[in-house]
PDB file of all heavy atoms in Angstrom:
ATOM      1  N   THR Y  89      97.105  99.160  85.586  1.00  0.00           N
ATOM      2  CA  THR Y  89      97.272  98.850  84.156  1.00  0.00           C
ATOM      3  C   THR Y  89      96.979 100.092  83.325  1.00  0.00           C
ATOM      4  O   THR Y  89      95.985 100.792  83.537  1.00  0.00           O
ATOM      5  CB  THR Y  89      96.314  97.744  83.743  1.00  0.00           C
ATOM      6  OG1 THR Y  89      96.718  96.489  84.348  1.00  0.00           O
ATOM      7  CG2 THR Y  89      96.359  97.526  82.208  1.00  0.00           C
ATOM      8  N   GLY Y  90      97.883 100.396  82.409  1.00  0.00           N
ATOM      9  CA  GLY Y  90      97.648 101.536  81.553  1.00  0.00           C
ATOM     10  C   GLY Y  90      98.929 101.947  80.793  1.00  0.00           C
ATOM     11  O   GLY Y  90      99.948 101.259  80.913  1.00  0.00           O
ATOM     12  N   MET Y  91      98.797 103.018  80.044  1.00  0.00           N
ATOM     13  CA  MET Y  91      99.958 103.602  79.327  1.00  0.00           C
ATOM     14  C   MET Y  91     100.546 104.668  80.223  1.00  0.00           C
ATOM     15  O   MET Y  91      99.830 105.592  80.738  1.00  0.00           O
ATOM     16  CB  MET Y  91      99.481 104.197  78.041  1.00  0.00           C
ATOM     17  CG  MET Y  91     100.607 104.649  77.114  1.00  0.00           C
ATOM     18  SD  MET Y  91     101.578 103.304  76.488  1.00  0.00           S
ATOM     19  CE  MET Y  91     100.493 102.778  75.148  1.00  0.00           C
ATOM     20  N   TYR Y  92     101.868 104.565  80.476  1.00  0.00           N
ATOM     21  CA  TYR Y  92     102.587 105.501  81.332  1.00  0.00           C
ATOM     22  C   TYR Y  92     103.422 106.386  80.483  1.00  0.00           C
ATOM     23  O   TYR Y  92     104.156 105.985  79.547  1.00  0.00           O
ATOM     24  CB  TYR Y  92     103.412 104.714  82.325  1.00  0.00           C
ATOM     25  CG  TYR Y  92     102.552 104.152  83.421  1.00  0.00           C
ATOM     26  CD1 TYR Y  92     101.717 103.044  83.184  1.00  0.00           C
ATOM     27  CD2 TYR Y  92     102.615 104.682  84.721  1.00  0.00           C
ATOM     28  CE1 TYR Y  92     100.928 102.538  84.225  1.00  0.00           C
ATOM     29  CE2 TYR Y  92     101.811 104.123  85.739  1.00  0.00           C
ATOM     30  CZ  TYR Y  92     100.982 103.077  85.489  1.00  0.00           C
ATOM     31  OH  TYR Y  92     100.211 102.562  86.517  1.00  0.00           O
ATOM     32  N   TYR Y  93     103.379 107.688  80.813  1.00  0.00           N
ATOM     33  CA  TYR Y  93     104.135 108.701  80.100  1.00  0.00           C
ATOM     34  C   TYR Y  93     105.010 109.508  81.066  1.00  0.00           C
ATOM     35  O   TYR Y  93     104.574 109.870  82.167  1.00  0.00           O
ATOM     36  CB  TYR Y  93     103.206 109.710  79.414  1.00  0.00           C
ATOM     37  CG  TYR Y  93     102.256 109.083  78.428  1.00  0.00           C
ATOM     38  CD1 TYR Y  93     101.021 108.588  78.824  1.00  0.00           C
ATOM     39  CD2 TYR Y  93     102.550 109.047  77.075  1.00  0.00           C
ATOM     40  CE1 TYR Y  93     100.130 108.011  77.951  1.00  0.00           C
ATOM     41  CE2 TYR Y  93     101.677 108.502  76.182  1.00  0.00           C
ATOM     42  CZ  TYR Y  93     100.472 108.006  76.597  1.00  0.00           C
ATOM     43  OH  TYR Y  93      99.594 107.456  75.714  1.00  0.00           O
ATOM     44  N   CYS Y  94     106.254 109.802  80.648  1.00  0.00           N
ATOM     45  CA  CYS Y  94     106.980 110.835  81.408  1.00  0.00           C
ATOM     46  C   CYS Y  94     106.821 112.144  80.670  1.00  0.00           C
ATOM     47  O   CYS Y  94     106.666 112.184  79.449  1.00  0.00           O
ATOM     48  CB  CYS Y  94     108.439 110.442  81.568  1.00  0.00           C
ATOM     49  SG  CYS Y  94     109.387 110.249  80.061  1.00  0.00           S
ATOM     50  N   ALA Y  95     106.912 113.188  81.451  1.00  0.00           N
ATOM     51  CA  ALA Y  95     106.773 114.528  80.872  1.00  0.00           C
ATOM     52  C   ALA Y  95     107.763 115.444  81.619  1.00  0.00           C
ATOM     53  O   ALA Y  95     108.147 115.225  82.717  1.00  0.00           O
ATOM     54  CB  ALA Y  95     105.331 115.059  81.032  1.00  0.00           C
ATOM     55  N   ALA Y  96     108.172 116.535  80.918  1.00  0.00           N
ATOM     56  CA  ALA Y  96     109.173 117.404  81.476  1.00  0.00           C
ATOM     57  C   ALA Y  96     108.921 118.854  81.040  1.00  0.00           C
ATOM     58  O   ALA Y  96     108.312 119.101  79.950  1.00  0.00           O
ATOM     59  CB  ALA Y  96     110.569 116.997  81.100  1.00  0.00           C
ATOM     60  N   ASP Y  97     109.363 119.761  81.844  1.00  0.00           N
ATOM     61  CA  ASP Y  97     109.337 121.161  81.436  1.00  0.00           C
ATOM     62  C   ASP Y  97     110.534 121.878  81.995  1.00  0.00           C
ATOM     63  O   ASP Y  97     111.176 121.405  82.941  1.00  0.00           O
ATOM     64  CB  ASP Y  97     108.047 121.834  81.890  1.00  0.00           C
ATOM     65  CG  ASP Y  97     107.746 123.064  81.092  1.00  0.00           C
ATOM     66  OD1 ASP Y  97     107.192 122.945  79.979  1.00  0.00           O
ATOM     67  OD2 ASP Y  97     108.069 124.156  81.581  1.00  0.00           O
ATOM     68  N   LEU Y  98     110.835 123.000  81.376  1.00  0.00           N
ATOM     69  CA  LEU Y  98     112.054 123.777  81.792  1.00  0.00           C
ATOM     70  C   LEU Y  98     111.734 124.800  82.816  1.00  0.00           C
ATOM     71  O   LEU Y  98     112.628 125.546  83.209  1.00  0.00           O
ATOM     72  CB  LEU Y  98     112.668 124.419  80.524  1.00  0.00           C
ATOM     73  CG  LEU Y  98     112.986 123.485  79.359  1.00  0.00           C
ATOM     74  CD1 LEU Y  98     113.681 124.223  78.243  1.00  0.00           C
ATOM     75  CD2 LEU Y  98     113.827 122.303  79.842  1.00  0.00           C
ATOM     76  N   GLN Y  99     110.470 124.877  83.251  1.00  0.00           N
ATOM     77  CA  GLN Y  99     110.037 125.805  84.248  1.00  0.00           C
ATOM     78  C   GLN Y  99     109.623 125.099  85.511  1.00  0.00           C
ATOM     79  O   GLN Y  99     108.966 124.082  85.525  1.00  0.00           O
ATOM     80  CB  GLN Y  99     108.811 126.625  83.716  1.00  0.00           C
ATOM     81  CG  GLN Y  99     109.042 127.336  82.435  1.00  0.00           C
ATOM     82  CD  GLN Y  99     110.037 128.468  82.584  1.00  0.00           C
ATOM     83  OE1 GLN Y  99     110.109 129.088  83.620  1.00  0.00           O
ATOM     84  NE2 GLN Y  99     110.836 128.672  81.560  1.00  0.00           N
ATOM     85  N   TYR Y 100     110.017 125.667  86.656  1.00  0.00           N
ATOM     86  CA  TYR Y 100     109.626 125.107  87.950  1.00  0.00           C
ATOM     87  C   TYR Y 100     108.102 125.119  88.140  1.00  0.00           C
ATOM     88  O   TYR Y 100     107.590 124.252  88.851  1.00  0.00           O
ATOM     89  CB  TYR Y 100     110.284 125.876  89.090  1.00  0.00           C
ATOM     90  CG  TYR Y 100     111.786 125.604  89.264  1.00  0.00           C
ATOM     91  CD1 TYR Y 100     112.709 126.547  88.954  1.00  0.00           C
ATOM     92  CD2 TYR Y 100     112.186 124.363  89.784  1.00  0.00           C
ATOM     93  CE1 TYR Y 100     114.075 126.300  89.108  1.00  0.00           C
ATOM     94  CE2 TYR Y 100     113.532 124.103  89.952  1.00  0.00           C
ATOM     95  CZ  TYR Y 100     114.452 125.099  89.608  1.00  0.00           C
ATOM     96  OH  TYR Y 100     115.789 124.845  89.791  1.00  0.00           O
TER      97      TYR Y 100
END
Side-chain angles (χ1 to χ4, degrees):
T89 293
M91 186 70 79
Y92 284 72
Y93 301 87
C94 62
D97 202 79
L98 307 184
Q99 302 293 326
Y100 285 110

